Amino acid sequence: MKDTKEYKPSPSVAPHPLKRLGQHFLTDQNIVKRIVTALSPRSDETVIEIGPGTGALTHQLVGSVGRLIAVEFDRNLAPVLEQRYGANSNFTLVRADALEVDFCSLLDQTAKARVIANLPYNVSTAILQRLISHRRCLSEMVLMLQKEVVQRMVALPGGKERGYLSVLVEAYCETEALFDVSPGAFRPPPKVWSTVVRVKFKELSEPGGDEILFIATVSAGFAQKRKTILNNLRNATGALQEVLKRNGGASIVLCKAEVELQRRAETLTLAEWDRIVRAMK
Ligand code: SAM
């Protein structure tokens, strides 16, 4: 990481944080450095930063990477970011909603990009899911999320934290929780602790051999956490219901996959989800 001058947001260019956009700006320089060091930026790579805010991470990254693409939704922050970093030829500001951006189309190279973000908490899981769906052009991410979300991301089968997100992340990523961050590191401080996590995309991992069917099955399986896998799959709707019917119904599919009908979704391993999806093909 290039040792740049310490970043201090000037009050004149740091707009009032917006709660609805999850704006908790990092002010603890030690945490900023730990996050950027975890990424270990390289001069020959493209990094996508989601939600640069007033530039706490951007400031450390812009001099260290080949190209930095910052995606910020808040229109009021755009002039602040342009004023600070627009003169750097490797900096591109994309004023857009990360939930709608096609990340791959932002990249003009064949090499995969890496992602860094202190994600807005209110939409962090939705952005994470979108990033996973764009993994063909991404290799690795260093993300800060709410601590509880990271606990769900890394939860193993059998635990109460295990849910749709845990299975999705296990299917396509290798995750490593790096360190926790206290509310005092932000302005304004959030109510909860955060965790920085490293997410590496697995090469060639396609559980069930069909991403759309796999995601629909896991999503339906967790639809009502108190219900059994059988009942949740029986209540599946749309295309998944059709596929289940074509294969004799939910109980036949589960028997073929050797998954007991009374199990709950949070107890199923990735291998069992894989078998359920393959039993419908
Ligand atoms: N990176 C800065 C930092 O660490 O100080 C800001 C982090 S703040 C937690 C989240 C940032 O994401 C804010 O700048 C917010 O405006 C932006 N944001 C919120 N929703 C977004 C969305 N849907 N797409 C892109 N950026 C978003």
Side-chain angles (χ1 to χ4, degrees):
M1 182 178 75
K2 204 170 169 181
D3 193 14
T4 45
K5 228 171 40 187
E6 186 164 316
Y7 161 79
K8 285 198 179 68
S10 129
S12 60
V13 287
H16 189 70
L18 296 175
K19 204 174 167 188
R20 73 181 163 83
L21 289 180
Q23 290 181 347
H24 297 280
F25 299 119
L26 262 173
T27 50
D28 183 330
Q29 287 309 304
N30 181 39
I31 299 296
V32 169
K33 286 195 177 118
R34 286 180 74 187
I35 295 172
V36 176
T37 301
L39 185 78
S40 191
R42 299 186 302 261
S43 59
D44 63 347
E45 70 170 333
T46 297
V47 169
I48 298 176
E49 184 187 3
I50 298 174
T54 51
L57 298 169
T58 322
H59 196 77
Q60 297 292 338
L61 288 166
V62 74
S64 309
V65 298
R67 188 168 174 221
L68 180 62
I69 302 172
V71 180
E72 176 55 63
F73 190 49
D74 186 350
R75 287 168 169 272
N76 295 327
L77 287 174
V80 178
L81 291 159
E82 288 289 11
Q83 184 196 328
R84 283 200 183 131
Y85 308 111
N88 295 276
S89 58
N90 66 339
F91 177 77
T92 308
L93 178 65
V94 178
R95 300 167 200 200
D97 183 348
L99 292 170
E100 288 177 3
V101 163
D102 178 347
F103 294 106
C104 298
S105 73
L106 298 178
L107 306 167
D108 52 13
Q109 56 176 38
T110 46
K112 292 183 175 184
R114 297 196 295 159
V115 175
I116 192 165
N118 166 15
L119 287 174
Y121 291 159
N122 41 350
V123 285
S124 62
T125 51
I127 293 178
L128 177 61
Q129 285 176 48
R130 189 161 179 83
L131 288 165
I132 291 174
S133 74
H134 284 82
R135 65 191 180 283
R136 67 183 181 282
C137 60
L138 306 172
S139 59
E140 185 183 348
M141 315 193 282
V142 172
L143 306 175
M144 180 150 59
L145 301 104
Q146 197 174 328
K147 189 172 177 179
E148 286 70 23
V149 174
V150 174
Q151 285 169 342
R152 283 196 274 129
M153 284 169 69
V154 301
L156 298 172
K160 66 174 174 21
E161 306 295 340
R162 179 83 168 179
Y164 169 75
L165 187 68
S166 332
V167 181
L168 187 72
V169 167
E170 188 186 349
Y172 302 116
C173 318
E174 280 164 12
T175 47
E176 184 193 358
L178 298 176
F179 55 92
D180 293 339
V181 180
S182 78
F186 306 85
R187 184 190 68 87
K191 290 198 172 70
V192 292
W193 277 66
S194 307
T195 300
V196 176
V197 65
R198 184 190 308 285
V199 178
K200 283 187 184 168
F201 290 110
K202 292 179 184 170
E203 296 277 341
L204 307 173
S205 175
E206 196 58 86
D210 179 332
E211 182 173 346
I212 292 173
L213 190 57
F214 176 77
I215 286 177
T217 306
V218 178
S219 171
F222 279 102
Q224 293 200 48
K225 264 196 134 182
R226 292 169 152 266
K227 289 197 169 173
T228 61
I229 183 71
L230 174 64
N231 280 335
N232 274 330
L233 290 188
R234 270 186 179 154
N235 292 334
T237 54
L240 177 60
Q241 181 60 260
E242 294 306 313
V243 177
L244 282 160
K245 268 190 197 153
R246 265 206 314 276
N247 287 279
S251 70
I252 301 276
V253 166
L254 289 170
C255 289
K256 209 169 141 196
E258 296 179 22
V259 172
E260 289 156 42
L261 308 182
Q262 301 311 314
R263 299 264 301 278
R264 293 224 163 88
E266 70 261 27
T267 70
L268 300 193
T269 62
L270 182 60
E272 288 172 321
W273 287 111
D274 175 76
R275 294 208 301 268
I276 295 172
V277 177
R278 289 186 192 279
M280 293 187 277
K281 288 168 59 187

